[in-house]
Amino acid sequence: MSFEPTPAILPRWLERDARTVERYLSGSHVGVRLGMAEPRLLRLIDVSLLGCRVERPEQALVGRSVTVAFAGAVETHGWIVWSDGEECGIDFAEPLADHDLSRIARPRQKRDD
């Protein structure tokens, strides 16, 4: 199975892309819990073994602890590493397993020509 990489979109404050692994588009939603608050369903923009980018929840402060719950009972912990008006980046405390990433990421769309 192959995946479609996401073009690098850098936070405005970051001079260069510090990513070390490919990120893949996702067409799904995830449950995101900030600290001990109730989880919220947010749009998952892209995902990698080491982190993800989601639509920005209210009170998404850099450094804040989060729990991300993906479909298929995959849950991981991490923290917000950047946040702008519409999106935020989350680094995972532990990398996702390859098989979990393949279930979460959107497969590359095949062309008919």
Side-chain angles (χ1 to χ4, degrees), residues 20-73:
T20 57
V21 296
E22 289 287 337
R23 291 189 172 254
Y24 301 97
L25 295 174
S26 175
S28 64
H29 287 75
V30 293
V32 176
R33 184 174 64 232
L34 298 171
M36 299 303 291
E38 288 294 316
R40 295 198 43 210
L41 195 61
L42 301 175
R43 183 172 53 94
L44 177 64
I45 299 163
D46 63 29
V47 62
S48 75
L49 292 171
L50 303 177
C52 65
R53 181 167 46 126
V54 298
E55 71 178 302
R56 184 184 177 273
E58 293 177 19
Q59 302 176 356
L61 303 173
V62 172
R64 189 138 191 214
S65 171
V66 297
T67 301
V68 181
F70 298 97

Side-chain angles (χ1 to χ4, degrees), residues 6 8 10 15 19 28 35 38 41 51 66 69 75 81-82 84 88 91 100 108:
T6 300
L10 302 177
E15 292 180 17
R19 297 175 184 158
S28 64
E38 288 294 316
L41 195 61
V66 297
E75 185 174 284
V81 292
W82 63 267
D84 67 16
C88 71
D91 275 358
D100 288 333
R108 181 177 295 175

Side-chain angles (χ1 to χ4, degrees), residues 68-106:
V68 181
F70 298 97
V74 176
E75 185 174 284
T76 190
H77 304 283
W79 52 91
I80 297 172
V81 292
W82 63 267
S83 178
D84 67 16
E86 298 177 12
E87 302 172 349
C88 71
I90 298 171
D91 275 358
F92 301 146
E94 297 289 331
L96 289 176
D98 287 331
H99 65 274
D100 288 333
L101 179 61
S102 67
R103 288 189 311 194
I104 296 164
R106 184 173 71 197

